[in-house]
């Protein structure tokens, strides 16, 4: 472990911590006062109660649920951090481990095969040594549509993956890429020709 090189560093955001915790504490105090006010209603002498009990109880229960949701949402703000990454510290490609990516699908009606194949192609186009990257599709439904789409995706990926790596595309998902305005090589006629070819494949 002595020779281990950290790929990132984690830093606490001190000012955000102070602001978030102060807000959470003040908000909690206000909530406790409100809960005390709501509970005191139930301990009043019956002749002093002029408000129907059931609506008051329903409001109190709904407020408790909102308090709980708010409390759970405070976890991300209690200790906000930011990370600094060091991609230059990555080992050489021959020292990177092999990785397997499993993409599971079960119902082509609820999970359209086209969207699943966009995920598959995106995984295949990851910036990782291709000989160490293995993508598997698991179809629990055994759908013919998924099988046909997988074959089509494989044929398209033979052109798409080299295209992504050649031009260093940030968006590797074909559907997202063609529906966005990403065009890092606007002045390149070669890029435009290849991009047009990708659209018709």
């Amino acid at each position: 472990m002595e020779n281990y090189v950290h790929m990132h560093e984690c830093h606490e955001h001190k000012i955000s911590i102070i602001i978030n915790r102060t807000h959470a504490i003040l908000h909690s105090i206000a909530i406790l006062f409100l809960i005390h006010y709501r509970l005191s209603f139930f301990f009043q002498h019956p002749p002093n109660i002029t408000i129907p009990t059931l609506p008051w109880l329903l409001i109190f229960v709904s407020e408790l649920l909102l308090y709980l949701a708010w409390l759970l949402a405070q976890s991300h703000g209690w200790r906000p951090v930011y990370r600094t990454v060091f991609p230059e510290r990555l080992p050489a490609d021959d020292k990177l481990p092999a990785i397997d990516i499993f993409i599971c699908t079960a119902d082509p009606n609820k999970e359209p095969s086209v969207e699943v194949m966009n995920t598959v192609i995106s995984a295949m186009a990851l910036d990782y040594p291709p000989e160490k990257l293995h993508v598997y599709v698991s179809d629990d439904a055994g759908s013919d549509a998924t099988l046909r789409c997988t074959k089509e995706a494989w044929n398209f990926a033979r052109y798409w993956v080299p295209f992504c790596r050649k031009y260093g595309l940030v968006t590797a998902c074909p559907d997202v890429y063609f529906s966005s305005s990403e065009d890092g090589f606007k002045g390149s006629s070669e890029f435009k020709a290849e991009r047009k070819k990708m659209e018709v494949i």
Side-chain angles (χ1 to χ4, degrees), residues 45-64:
H45 195 268
N48 296 332
I49 298 177
T50 57
I51 302 174
T53 305
L54 183 60
W56 191 272
L57 180 62
L58 292 175
I59 291 172
F60 180 50
V61 170
S62 64
E63 286 178 343
L64 285 177

Side-chain angles (χ1 to χ4, degrees), residues 70-177:
W70 174 83
L71 184 64
L72 294 175
Q74 298 312 300
S75 58
H76 75 279
W78 193 253
R79 184 177 172 265
V81 298
Y82 63 95
R83 300 181 188 276
T84 305
V85 296
F86 306 101
E88 67 275 4
R89 294 182 182 177
L90 284 170
D93 286 357
D94 58 339
K95 293 184 179 178
L96 289 172
I99 61 172
D100 296 328
I101 300 175
F102 288 88
I103 299 169
C104 301
T105 182
D107 188 344
N109 295 319
K110 295 180 180 178
E111 302 168 317
S113 299
V114 173
E115 294 182 12
V116 174
M117 292 310 118
N118 270 288
T119 304
V120 172
I121 294 171
S122 300
M124 294 172 69
L126 288 173
D127 184 13
Y128 205 80
E131 68 278 3
K132 295 191 174 186
L133 178 66
H134 306 94
V135 181
Y136 301 91
V137 180
S138 173
D139 179 19
D140 291 343
S143 168
D144 290 337
T146 303
L147 179 61
R148 287 195 301 272
C149 283
T150 303
K151 292 178 179 178
E152 291 297 325
W154 165 248
N155 290 329
F156 178 73
R158 289 189 300 168
Y159 303 97
W160 176 253
V161 173
F163 175 73
C164 289
R165 290 183 176 153
K166 180 178 180 180
Y167 294 103
L169 298 186
V170 176
T171 306
C173 176
D175 187 41
V176 175
Y177 175 77

